Amino acid sequence: MTHPTSSTDFDPQLAPLLPPLKGYVPLQMSLEQLEHFRRLSHVTWETLMGDAQVSCVDYSIPGYQGAEIVVSVIARQGHSVPGPAVYHIHGGGMVMGTRFAGAKPLVEWALRHDAVCVTVEYRLAPEHPAPTLVEDCYAGLAWMAAHADMLRFDPNQLVIFGGSGGGGLAAGTTLLARDRQGPRLLGQLLQCPMLDDRNETESAHRYDGVGVWDRTSNLTAWRAVLGDRCGGPEVSPYSAPARASDLSGLPPTFIDVGGAETFRDEAVAYARGILAAGGECELHVWGGAFHGFYDIAPQSDLARACIAARDAWIARMFARGAMSPCSP
C-alpha cells in the first residue's frame, strides 16, 4: 500500500518552510546521524532566557537507580507566594535535546502566572534505554512534589507538560504517578506526543520522508529506546503509553498534534482512549501542520491559534487548581 503525500498536505504558510529545513531537521534520521542532530538541538539557558526577569537554579537529584540527574527551577524574580507549577519534560525523540529545549513557555508562564517551573535533564537513549528515561522523569516529578514548600508552589496546581518525545514521557510519567499513588497532577499537557513504538498507523506511513520528523526517524528513535523489544509484545506502557490498556484515573488532559505529521493518529487514539475511560481530554488536530510547527513557525496563523489554545487551557487549569481545597 502506498501513502502519497503532496505539498497540499501542508498549510500554505508552512509548506514553503520545509525545503530550507532540509539537513537541519531529523528527517529520515539514522543512528549514525544522531550526533549531528544532537548538536543542532542543543539549547542553553542563556539562549532561552534572553532578558526575561526570571531566575534559574539548578539542583542535582537522584534519578533512576540513584544516578545523579539535574533539574532546573525557573521562577519569576522575587517569587514568594505559592501558586501554580509546571513540570516540564523536553522533546527530541527521547534521543536528543536538553532540558531547555522547548522550554520557552516556562518563561512565559513564570512571568504571566507566577508559576514555578521545573525542567528535567533525563538521560537519553541509546546510551540509557528504557526504562531509564521515564524513570528519570518520574524521579524529577517526585522530587518536585516533595519540595513544594521549598520551591514555593501549591501542590494542588501542578501540571505536567511535554512535547514530542517529552510528550510521550510526560504521558508515561503520569501513568506512573497514577499507578504508584505518586504526586497528584492537576493536568497533563501533551503537545504532538510520541506515544506508539509500533509505527503502523495511517499517518505514520503517510509521513515518511516528508515533514520534520518522519516514520524513519521515529523508528530509529524507538529502536534506540527499546532495542529488540521495539514493536513487540513486551513493551511497557510507561515507556510507550499507546500500549496502555487502562487510561482511567488520569488528570484532565490537553493533547494537540499536527494534521500532517507522523504522530497524528496515535495522539488522536490516546485522546479517544482517555475519553472512553471516562476522563477529561481536550484534543486539537491542526490541519496542514507538520511536527513542531508552533516552534518552527510561531508567527504563522496556525501556530498562533495553537499557542493560544494551549495557554488558555493551562490558565483554566491553574484557575481550577486555585479553587481546590489545600492538601493537609
Side-chain angles (χ1 to χ4, degrees), residues 104-160:
K104 184 179 178 182
L106 305 185
V107 175
E108 296 169 354
W109 295 333
L111 294 172
R112 185 180 309 158
H113 300 291
D114 199 16
V116 172
C117 304
V118 172
T119 184
V120 60
E121 194 75 60
Y122 60 88
R123 288 169 287 172
L124 300 173
E127 295 86 349
H128 303 282
T132 299
L133 300 91
V134 71
E135 291 287 356
D136 276 354
C137 293
Y138 182 78
L141 176 66
W143 177 89
M144 182 181 184
H147 292 82
D149 288 344
M150 180 188 80
L151 301 178
R152 296 179 181 170
F153 72 86
D154 178 357
N156 288 307
Q157 297 188 66
L158 176 55
V159 171
I160 192 168

Side-chain angles (χ1 to χ4, degrees), residues 6-7 9-11 13-25 27 207 209-213 260 288-291 296:
S6 71
S7 60
D9 279 27
F10 300 103
D11 181 87
Q13 291 184 342
L14 301 181
L17 303 178
L18 289 174
L21 287 173
K22 187 176 181 181
Y24 295 94
V25 294
L27 193 66
Y207 298 104
V210 64
V212 168
W213 176 268
F290 50 67
H291 185 69
I296 293 171

Side-chain angles (χ1 to χ4, degrees), residues 62-73:
Y64 181 51
Q65 297 183 331
E68 185 177 283
I69 60 173
V70 175
V71 296
S72 293
V73 180

Side-chain angles (χ1 to χ4, degrees), residues 155-199:
N156 288 307
Q157 297 188 66
L158 176 55
V159 171
I160 192 168
F161 164 49
S164 191
L169 289 169
T173 300
T174 301
L175 291 170
L176 280 173
R178 179 197 67 182
D179 294 347
R180 293 176 178 175
Q181 291 77 53
R184 175 183 176 273
L185 290 167
L186 176 64
Q188 60 172 340
L189 199 171
L190 313 177
Q191 289 211 277
C192 54
M194 176 180 172
L195 300 164
D196 196 343
D197 63 294
R198 292 164 293 194
N199 292 285

